[in-house]
Amino acid sequence: MRTFGIALLAIITRETLRYVGQRERFLAALVRPLVWLLVFAAGFRAALGLSIIPPYQTYITYETYIVPGLCGMILLFNGMQTSLSLVYDREMGSMKVLLTAPLPRGWLLFCKLVASTLISTLQAYTFLAIAWLFEIRLDLWGYIAVFPALCISGLMLGALGLAISSQVKQLENFAGVMNFVIFPMFFLSSALYPLWKMAEAGEVLFWICTINPFTHAVELIRFALYLEINLAALGWTSLSLGVFLALALYGYDPARGITRDGK
Amino acid sequence: MSGLRVQNLSHSYGAKQALKDVGFEIERGRFCALLGPNGAGKSTLYAILTGLLLPNNGTIEIADTLLHETPLRALAKMGIVFQQTTLDLDLSVRQNLRYFAALHGFAGKAADIRIDAALDRLGMLERAGEKVRALNGGHKRRTEIARALLHEPEVLLLDEPTVGLDSQTRIAITEHVHRLCTEVGLTVLWATHLTDEVRPTDELILLHKGEILERGIAAQICGALPLAEVFMRKVGQPI
């Protein structure tokens, strides 16, 4: 067990060192949700009327509504960033070093996932701290209660990134992931507007939003911030985590090869 | 005693057969050169030997451990130097080696002692704090060899480790690995397409189009002819 722990620590240290060396990545990850919060939200507030829906007890501002969705956005983008860095690792060969270590492959991939989730969670907290400075404040306990929600959601989105990275064989194909994964997942969710608004727009769209795992990750975060557990969201997010992990393990099965041409 | 044993190894990518019934054995403490042109199947063989790819057929034994039965134990006995650089360019030499040591279960002082010893052996100790990006090709290769030896493997697999290096660095690295065979009993499989890296006393395997054309002691295969010429006669093309 000790060797498992040593490997986990080493992988977290490596990812953190690499992350610290990429300050622009940290800034980009923060600027994106802040632009939504401080610029788009101002415009959307006028266009969108929000009714009182759980977990909110009263009318809230639009900025307050989208904070959990923007935390989810950070986790989503970071999950895909992890995926991108895995494809990069594979192109650069450092993935081979990882996968030829004498430890179960599932554990090595899980360590990668934990490392990226910790970084995502740290980013989400930085965003919440900045939002606090802009007077979007929550109960202090909410900031603590949201930690497991951020971790589970981060793991789920990271696992999705891992599964995608096993299929994307070249770095150049990554733009497709942006178009076909990140944007639909983000916009077809409850991150920017409540689902009842989506129901007004159309049944099919509503249905897609309802099964979108990202919707449930956002709702899990939203309820946790208000000290409530949304069991349906927790179940759906955990189930998605299991499915994406299984896909990732299948994708990194040595019988399928890990590099271009299977070499 | 056997250091590395490969039996009936075959693999194909769809319709393209990359390896056809490859089999060989290297005794412990021997240096074996695997010579073949590009596309001979060397990289596929290395991917299979290192467990990155499962073959369609065949068995591999690493120092008496079957790779398909106990892959983790077999991997622990194996040191690998891949064809392309697999170091983190933005981390220092020591940070890279610490990461690798941890993947093999060594941390703290135990790891540092091993890292210092491995770097010292390859004359890289004074560069331990430098970022890998700042190193030249030869020093990167030395770092990778030092890394592959950190956990004291019984078998060292190197896939064209001297590609792109100047001749002086190539000679130094080739000599160092040969010395490891005699001094610590390391078994080495050294893929190359550079004939001057093969010594007359080395084991030699000629691989072409996924098949072994010849294997034995280099001097016996070559006789009085230079290796490049022997290869030309066997394969019908220069290496």
Side-chain angles (χ1 to χ4, degrees), chain A residues 125-145:
Chain A
Y125 270 110
T126 312
F127 167 73
L128 285 171
I130 296 174
W132 188 86
L133 292 176
F134 284 95
E135 306 277 324
I136 301 161
R137 294 176 182 173
L138 302 154
D139 188 286
L140 182 66
W141 290 107
Y143 290 108
I144 295 165

Side-chain angles (χ1 to χ4, degrees), chain B residues 91-128:
Chain B
L91 301 188
S92 71
V93 169
R94 187 177 292 281
Q95 283 169 338
N96 266 286
L97 267 59
R98 270 201 191 129
Y99 171 64
F100 182 85
L103 291 180
H104 283 261
F106 302 107
K109 248 202 173 119
D112 278 336
I113 290 169
R114 280 169 185 269
I115 290 167
D116 286 347
L119 288 176
D120 195 28
R121 256 199 314 265
L122 282 136
M124 286 294 294
L125 191 55
E126 61 201 36
R127 297 185 185 272

